[in-house]
Amino acid sequence: MAEKAFYVDTTRCQGCRGCQVACKQWNGLPGEETKFFAGPELTNPKKLSAQTWNQVVFFPIDRSNPIRPIWTILHKKCFHCNSANCLNVCPEKAIMKKDDWIVIDQDKCIGCGACVNACVYKVPEISEINHVNDAGQKILKRDKSHKCNACTLNVRDIPACVFVCPTDSLLFDYRLKLIKLAHARVKELKADGYPNACIYGLDQFHGLGVITVLKDDPEKYGLPVDTKKLEIDMTKVEATNDVYALLSSFTFGIPMLKKMAYKVSKSLTKNA
């Protein structure tokens, strides 16, 4: 279980998108062409991508009380699952834990998309471009998988998204301390008229590296609750990877051929 964690209080988020900008700037990520109102309400870009590692997601406004309309906003990035589907399914072991954060080694990644298909939160994506940042780092590699790495690539004490948050809706600290804070905050919200207020991330995938305070049911934010049913079937994964290990030995280490070998392996083991 990660010693440190992110804390997200959705009730304090003003939707300023400072976290999105800070992530782009610190990591040297390129912008991407977007369309206003591409996603629900003010969500832009529409979803996470290889070029956008965190985003502010807006949900339809609750106008049932015209005097007090309620914004529903979620800061979303990789949840850094303790038992991560993406890590478990990767045939090249390119996904690993670094200081308890889920990171991707692009040098090992073959761009097979296994992690993309396995993540129930729709976080990792395959890059369609190469991009070198101002520091000379090849921050994006075409046909490789990318996502939030908790600022472990360009290391800093406080991740960029947290550092710039003006409302303390994002915090970074010891996980147990943040869980205690989350319980106290939920108690306040329930007393303030939000009976469904809850904490997300305590148990999902054996504990997440992002502890999120919600003022309503997780489903309202598109977050699954019973993730036990969504965990990867390791029996199927191991069967596929055994076949892949055999086929990949004939690929001469060429990523494109390895990707084809993985696709064939999935087909042969019916793990589509």
Side-chain angles (χ1 to χ4, degrees), residues 80-125:
H80 296 281
C81 310
N82 188 46
S83 179
N85 278 357
C86 61
L87 183 153
N88 292 333
V89 79
C90 181
E92 282 290 317
K93 306 301 181 187
I95 302 179
M96 66 199 79
K97 287 189 177 183
K98 181 178 181 180
D99 297 329
D100 290 318
W101 305 109
I102 304 298
V103 300
I104 303 173
D105 184 340
Q106 271 77 41
D107 291 332
K108 293 182 179 179
C109 176
I110 59 173
C112 65
C115 58
V116 177
N117 296 325
C119 178
V120 302
Y121 299 113
K122 304 185 185 304
V123 171
E125 291 288 345

Side-chain angles (χ1 to χ4, degrees), residues 222-258:
L223 298 172
V225 180
D226 188 6
T227 56
K228 185 67 178 177
K229 298 177 181 178
L230 301 174
E231 292 179 12
I232 289 294
D233 185 336
M234 291 306 298
T235 301
K236 290 183 178 180
V237 169
E238 290 166 2
T240 297
N241 288 350
D242 285 345
V243 175
Y244 171 73
L246 175 63
L247 296 181
S248 65
S249 64
F250 299 99
T251 64
F252 308 104
I254 301 174
M256 183 170 64
L257 294 181
K258 283 190 168 187

Side-chain angles (χ1 to χ4, degrees), residues 16-272:
C16 70
R17 296 194 184 92
C19 53
Q20 288 184 205
V21 175
C23 179
K24 291 271 189 182
Q25 290 181 331
W26 180 254
N27 292 292
L29 292 167
E32 55 184 306
E33 184 176 351
T34 62
K35 295 180 180 179
F36 202 53
F37 297 118
E41 298 292 347
L42 301 176
T43 303
N44 196 15
K46 185 176 182 178
K47 62 184 184 67
L48 292 173
S49 71
Q51 296 172 233
T52 299
W53 296 349
N54 73 53
Q55 69 170 163
V56 176
V57 183
F58 292 77
F59 296 85
I61 304 173
D62 179 358
R63 293 188 172 89
S64 57
N65 182 346
I67 299 177
R68 191 184 182 187
I70 300 173
W71 272 106
T72 300
I73 307 174
L74 175 69
H75 166 86
K76 183 180 179 183
K77 58 174 171 283
C78 176
F79 285 92
H80 296 281
C81 310
N82 188 46
S83 179
N85 278 357
C86 61
L87 183 153
N88 292 333
V89 79
C90 181
E92 282 290 317
K93 306 301 181 187
I95 302 179
M96 66 199 79
K97 287 189 177 183
K98 181 178 181 180
D99 297 329
D100 290 318
W101 305 109
I102 304 298
V103 300
I104 303 173
D105 184 340
Q106 271 77 41
D107 291 332
K108 293 182 179 179
C109 176
I110 59 173
C112 65
C115 58
V116 177
N117 296 325
C119 178
V120 302
Y121 299 113
K122 304 185 185 304
V123 171
E125 291 288 345
I126 306 297
S127 179
E128 297 179 353
I129 64 170
N130 288 312
H131 177 74
V132 177
N133 65 14
D134 292 340
Q137 295 173 306
K138 194 170 185 180
I139 198 73
L140 294 181
K141 296 183 180 181
R142 186 175 181 176
D143 297 326
K144 305 284 187 176
S145 184
H146 299 269
K147 67 170 191 67
C148 161
N149 55 61
C151 286
T152 57
L153 178 60
N154 294 320
V155 183
R156 51 183 299 148
D157 293 334
I158 301 176
C161 59
V162 176
F163 186 79
V164 302
C165 182
T167 62
D168 286 339
S169 60
L170 295 181
L171 300 174
F172 184 76
D173 211 322
Y174 290 100
R175 191 172 189 272
L176 293 179
K177 179 179 177 180
L178 295 177
I179 289 175
K180 183 178 180 180
L181 178 65
H183 278 296
R185 181 60 178 151
V186 165
K187 185 177 180 180
E188 290 177 357
L189 290 170
K190 287 181 179 292
D192 196 34
Y194 297 100
N196 297 326
C198 61
I199 303 172
Y200 190 83
L202 298 179
D203 304 309
Q204 287 75 24
F205 293 104
H206 304 274
L208 305 182
V210 180
I211 301 300
T212 306
V213 172
L214 306 173
K215 58 188 172 189
D216 210 334
D217 297 325
E219 293 88 346
K220 298 287 183 66
Y221 296 80
L223 298 172
V225 180
D226 188 6
T227 56
K228 185 67 178 177
K229 298 177 181 178
L230 301 174
E231 292 179 12
I232 289 294
D233 185 336
M234 291 306 298
T235 301
K236 290 183 178 180
V237 169
E238 290 166 2
T240 297
N241 288 350
D242 285 345
V243 175
Y244 171 73
L246 175 63
L247 296 181
S248 65
S249 64
F250 299 99
T251 64
F252 308 104
I254 301 174
M256 183 170 64
L257 294 181
K258 283 190 168 187
K259 189 190 301 185
M260 292 175 61
Y262 181 72
K263 185 176 181 180
V264 171
S265 300
K266 288 184 69 175
S267 178
L268 290 175
T269 56
K270 306 300 181 182
N271 189 16

